[in-house]
Every structure is written in C-alpha cells, then in structure tokens.
Amino acid sequence: MKGIVFTELLEMIEEKFGYELVDHLLQDSSLQSGGIYTAIGTYDHAEMVTLVTNLSKQTKVPVPELLRAYGQYMFTAFTRSYRPFVDRADSAFSLLSSVQQYIHVEVRKLYPDAELPHFTIDQPAENHLRMHYTSERKLADFAHGLIEGCLATFGETATITKTILVEDGSQVLFDIVKE
Ligand code: HEM
C-alpha cells in the first residue's frame, strides 16, 4: 500500500492515543519497513493489518472500529492532499459516485502500483446510493469510515447499512440513504 496510508495511520494513533503508543507499536510490531514510511513509497499491506491488530490489543478497541475511525480520518487527509478531487464534487453523493470511474482512476495514474478496491455504484433513488465493494484486502470497514468522512465533509447526514455479501469480507454492499 502507498505510504500515505501508513503516515496518516500513525498520525491518527498519535493524535488519539499519544506518541508513546506509536513508539510502542512500532517497536512491538517487527515490521519489514522498520516503521519508516514516506508518502510515495509502497509497503506491504500486511503491515497495516499488523499495526491495526496490535493497536487493538493495546487499546482494547475492536479492529473494525479502528479501521472505521481511520477511514474517517483518512478522508479528511484526502481533502488536504487531493483537494481538486473534492472540489470537483458538489455533494457527498457526487463524490462517492465518482470514486470508481474518476478518483481511483486518477490515483492509479499517479501511482501505477496502487492497490485499489473495485466499486460497482448505482443510485436507485435520488436519496439512495448503493456501493458494492470488492477487494481481496477486505477493508470494508475502512471504506465505511471513508464514506462517513465524505458525508461529514459535505455537512450531510445519511444512514449507512452494511451487508456482507461474501463471508470473508471481500465483498460488501453499502446502502447509503440520505435523511
Ligand atoms: C479524494 C478522495 C479519494 C482519494 C484521493 C483516494 C485515494 C486512495 C489511495 C491513494 C489509496 C491507497 C492505495 C494503496 O495504498 O495502494 C486508496 C485506497 C482505498 N480507497 Fe480511496 N480515495 C478516495 C476516496 C475514497 C472513497 C470515498 C472510498 C470509499 C467509498 C474509498 C475507498 C478506498 C478503500 C476501501 C481503499 C483501500 C484499498 C482496498 O480496500 O483494497 N476511497 N484510495
């Protein structure tokens, strides 16, 4: 995964739990990278899983909850680092609808080795967006947080219903219904 995924994760841990814990986690996790990440580097996806799993052990916060909080945090980071993608959209639904066909396409141009999920997206009603997530990395909880972060950025509220389509978590459906 790209370094930004790791640098933002460590920043969130520091903000929420303090630097001591970051230090402890990096020492404890015996990571191949040594815990040194640059924004444009590429690192093993397993390191993120290791960091979040160890963080969960330390904090007693369940892994899915941590991934979701991390998704929310990451979206805010995207609004800084990838501002033009956000400015192009005038609502949460317009941004979310463009993730597969536009945003991640542009991300792939910037980083040909990016590991991106696949989304099938449709809008059955004006207030209802459906996002079908597929990824071998099984990061639907992270996606959940990104969707929440996107809604919050546009000052919108919606009910997000998550349906697990494949038991291992590689396919998940999100029904996002605006109030
Ligand atoms: C400005 C908006 C966005 C930008 C710039 C962006 C960019 C990226 C980048 C750089 C990665 C990391 C790729 C890698 O590590 O190799 C990523 C991964 C991911 N993105 Fe996006 N993204 C955006 C919005 C979204 C939204 C709104 C969603 C969810 C609805 C989403 C879902 C994901 C997921 C779940 C991953 C993790 C990889 C996986 O599950 O296989 N992204 N994205």
Side-chain angles (χ1 to χ4, degrees):
M1 303 197 94
K2 301 310 295 176
I4 185 175
V5 175
F6 293 92
T7 53
E8 292 299 332
L9 175 62
L10 296 178
E11 206 178 287
M12 179 191 82
I13 299 171
E14 183 174 345
E15 227 170 76
K16 289 197 199 290
F17 304 103
Y19 183 72
E20 303 261 293
L21 189 57
V22 174
D23 205 37
H24 195 80
L25 270 180
L26 291 178
Q27 285 182 18
D28 232 34
S29 305
S30 54
L31 305 160
Q32 212 186 349
S33 67
I36 298 159
Y37 305 105
T38 66
I40 54 159
T42 301
Y43 307 90
D44 190 350
H45 150 257
E47 289 202 5
M48 180 193 171
V49 178
T50 304
L51 283 168
V52 174
T53 307
N54 288 349
L55 177 65
S56 170
K57 282 186 196 140
Q58 299 276 340
T59 59
K60 309 271 180 270
V61 180
V63 168
E65 229 175 274
L66 289 171
L67 283 174
R68 194 167 148 188
Y70 178 39
Q72 294 171 3
Y73 189 89
M74 188 68 164
F75 193 85
T76 308
F78 285 156
T79 65
R80 291 192 302 264
S81 310
Y82 299 91
R83 187 78 224 169
F85 296 152
V86 179
D87 284 345
R88 214 174 149 269
D90 59 4
S91 67
F93 276 13
S94 79
L95 187 138
L96 292 171
S97 324
S98 75
V99 168
Q100 176 66 23
Q101 302 280 4
Y102 172 68
I103 295 176
H104 281 173
V105 173
E106 295 300 314
V107 170
R108 164 89 57 225
K109 286 184 198 163
L110 292 169
Y111 313 114
D113 59 351
E115 296 178 306
L116 297 162
H118 183 273
F119 284 103
T120 307
I121 303 163
D122 69 336
Q123 192 167 357
E126 204 191 323
N127 68 336
H128 183 185
L129 193 75
R130 234 175 355 207
M131 300 183 79
H132 178 162
Y133 167 89
T134 305
S135 171
E136 281 314 307
R137 284 167 293 283
K138 309 175 181 83
L139 292 172
D141 293 307
F142 180 57
H144 192 167
L146 282 162
I147 296 168
E148 289 173 322
C150 178
L151 287 161
T153 293
F154 287 94
E156 298 175 30
T157 45
T159 304
I160 305 168
T161 308
K162 191 175 146 202
T163 310
I164 295 168
L165 301 176
V166 176
E167 217 178 330
D168 68 3
S170 61
Q171 288 198 47
V172 171
L173 179 69
F174 293 100
D175 280 282
I176 310 158
V177 178
K178 282 189 55 168
E179 284 121 38

